[in-house]
Structures are given as structure tokens and as C-alpha cells.
Amino acid sequence: MILLRLAALPLLALALPAYAADPYAARIDRVLKATPLIDGHNDWPEALAEKAKEARWSMDLTHLDPQTYHTDIARLRAGHIGGQFWSVWVSADLPELQQVKDTLEQIALVHSLAERYPRDFQLVSTAAQVRAAHKAGRIASMIGVEGGGQIDGSLAVLRAYHDLGASYLTLTHSKTIAWADSATDDPQHGGLTPFGKDVVRELNRLGMLVDLSHVSEKVMLDALAQSRAPVIFSHSNARALCDTPRNVSDAVLRKVAENGGVVMVNFAAQYVSEARRVWGADRSAEITRNNAPPFGGLHIGDPEGAKAALAAWEKAHPEPVVTIGQVADHVEHIAKIAGVDHVGIGSDFDGVGALPQGLSGVETYPALLAELMRRGWSDADIAKLAGGNVLRVMEAAEKVAHAG
């Protein structure tokens, strides 16, 4: 452990020069020694599967290229991470039976982290186990299944995931499925179907968390009404600040407070900044305008011409800058509407492209906490944001499961 920390010091000095000299560093260290910093959503397993292929099972994960990955072991240590929900996402475009097979492979990869690096990772599924792993100096590793299609319409598959250590199910991903509407697809059901409500009830019975990131607002409301346990949004922001259906409206935030749940703030630029969201939509429209085979586009059949036209558009319309301060704005808005007991951190590292300035990888969590301290946040409230709130939610879900 000492050697690992020494190895991480040059990286920390390179990645976080401001934090190293930050007047809030000692406070942050003290808070995170007592309370584990828990991230609700990191897509490192899928990034390794996509980029490293079969090498992911044996490659050294201590130091990875920061231009390729947002995550590695040294940077996790530098970022003071105490607990991580690892997303075992697979594409919603796949047939659902294939999604099950691929999900099992992703779960195996998360298990392999703890098997290969037992001094760094410990697979856990309860709040008490998170605290014990943190006390022992390990990163408590939990599993989040990111899409209802990954259960293939089967509660038995959901139970199998639970038995393999899964701690939450995201009810949908990018596509509407047979029993729930996605936030980013055409609605078909007007919320949860009767089977969708059965899924919520089964999650409660198992003690797994109901994750409402990616779902439509009507599904959010249906699940909040159905769930006997607090819910989570593992990686979502405030819709009042960035008007995408992937984010959470003030009306839903108030329901989350009533439910006792937590919204874990996402770092993806397009969900943080309204200007960046609009720019992204305009850029996508420009790409289609220039080249949309087989019949559309001003430069159809001329990919180089389309590329040059897009470059000219981008020069005339530079990408808006997104900052760490805007992420802090989302944290504060959620705390204002729902209360400080109902906000957390869910970065979406290794699952997104564009990130805010100052939040380039897992080593940068302390910079966000320092920004909030600069705004007057107390150590007690920082502890709630960092991990206290999600630990409370986990404990409440466990009590519901034990009550039957």
C-alpha cells in the first residue's frame, strides 16, 4: 500500500497542482478519512472491454493513459475514492438475451478487479461492508446494472445478478423497453407497465437500489410512488440548469426528498451546461445537413467535403467551455430544492467524451469538494455529499428487504 501511494504521488502532483496547495486540502482529507467518497457511476469496465478487448483480463491497471481512460488504480487513490458503483453497461441496441450474456461478462470483470488487486478493491454489497472496506484502506466495489433490457424481461435474471453482487438496476438506458419508457426515446407506455412495477417491487425485496437515471419523467414518478425504499439517480443533474430529459426536474427533486432518495451529480458536459447541450444538438444537425446517406446532405458522396464543411462550422461555432463551477451549481441546486441530504456524486467517468474543465478523471474529485468548500459548505455537508447520503439510502433499502 505504501509503495502504491508513493507511486501515485508524481501523478497527483501533475494532475492536481491546485489541489496540492489548496487551503481546503486538509479539511477534505479529514472528511474523506471518516466518510468514504462514493461515486454512483463509472463505466471503466465497459471502456476496458471496448478499448483493451481480451487484454483487459491481464493488463496492468495501475497506470493507464489519461488520454484513453479516465480511471486507473493510481488515480483512484489520488482522488481519495472510497467506494465505487461500477457500471456493467452493455448496448441497448443488442438483442436482450445477448445483453444478458454480455452483462455476465462485465460482472466477471468487476469481480476480477478484486481478485487481481485485493489490496486495492473489495467487492461489497452492503453499507456496512462499504464502511469496513474503507476502514481497511480498500476501494469498496459495487456493481450497477445500467439498463432494464439487461434482465431480458425476467425477474429470475434480476435475482441472478443480485446473487452475483449487483447493487442497483437502472430501469432503462437509451431506449424504451417493453416495460418502461426511456428519457431519450419515444414513449410507449406512459410510465411503468404492470411488469415494470413488479421490477421495482422485486428490487425492494432483494435490497437492490432502484436507479432512475435515463428514465422518462413519468417512469421517475411511477417508480417513486411504487418504491418502498429510497431510490437513486446514479448519474443525473438538475433539469432547471440544463434542460435535457436525462436530468431531474424540480418537481421530481421534491418527490425524491419525500422518498428519501439521492440524486448523484453527473460530470458529462452535455448534461451540465445548457449552452453545451444546444451546441451539441446544432453540431449533430450540421453533420446531417452535410452528409446523410443514402439520399440526404449537401455533401453526400463527398466525405472529405463534409468533413471540411463541419470544420468550418466548428470554427465559426466554438464548443462552449464547461467548468467545474457549473457542476458545483448542479450540486447546490439539488441541495436547495431537495435538501443537502439528497445529493451525491455520480461522475459517469469513462462513459462520456467531453468533461468540464477541472474534472478530467478520477483524481479530480477533491477539486469539486474544494469548490464547494469555497462556497461555504461545511465539513458535515461535504461528508453527506461525498458518501453519507448514499450510505443512508443503502441502509434504508437493506431494512426494507429484511422487513419482507
Side-chain angles (χ1 to χ4, degrees), residues 44 59 73 79 100 111 114 134 140 156 158 212 227 243 256 264 298-299 320 322 340 342 361 367 381:
W44 195 32
M59 63 192 284
I73 294 172
V100 174
H111 280 252
H134 178 246
L158 178 60
L212 301 180
S227 182
D243 190 19
V256 172
M264 308 179 83
L298 299 177
H299 298 277
V322 183
V340 74
H342 305 286
D381 286 347

Side-chain angles (χ1 to χ4, degrees), residues 155 178-180 189 191-202 222 226:
L155 296 181
W179 47 271
H189 315 295
L192 286 174
T193 70
F195 179 76
K197 294 175 182 178
D198 287 343
V199 171
V200 172
R201 283 191 288 267
E202 184 65 6
D222 281 354
Q226 185 66 47

Side-chain angles (χ1 to χ4, degrees), residues 20-42:
D22 196 293
Y24 301 104
R27 282 179 61 191
I28 291 170
D29 289 344
R30 185 167 60 249
V31 169
L32 298 185
K33 184 177 181 181
T35 303
L37 172 60
I38 301 171
D39 185 326
H41 196 90
N42 183 308

Side-chain angles (χ1 to χ4, degrees), residues 278-297:
V278 172
W279 178 88
D282 289 344
R283 183 178 182 275
S284 295
E286 188 66 17
I287 291 171
T288 301
R289 179 174 178 268
N290 288 326
N291 191 12
F295 301 116

Side-chain angles (χ1 to χ4, degrees), residues 43-62 64 69 73 89-90 101-113 116-117:
D43 281 291
W44 195 32
E46 192 278 327
L48 288 168
E50 178 187 350
K51 298 170 184 177
K53 309 298 183 188
E54 290 305 305
R56 69 191 186 278
W57 301 102
S58 58
M59 63 192 284
D60 186 357
L61 301 175
T62 307
L64 299 178
Y69 299 98
I73 294 172
W89 174 85
V90 302
K101 294 177 180 179
D102 291 354
T103 300
L104 292 173
E105 189 168 286
Q106 291 283 68
I107 289 173
L109 183 59
V110 176
H111 280 252
S112 77
L113 295 177
R116 294 177 58 205
Y117 299 94

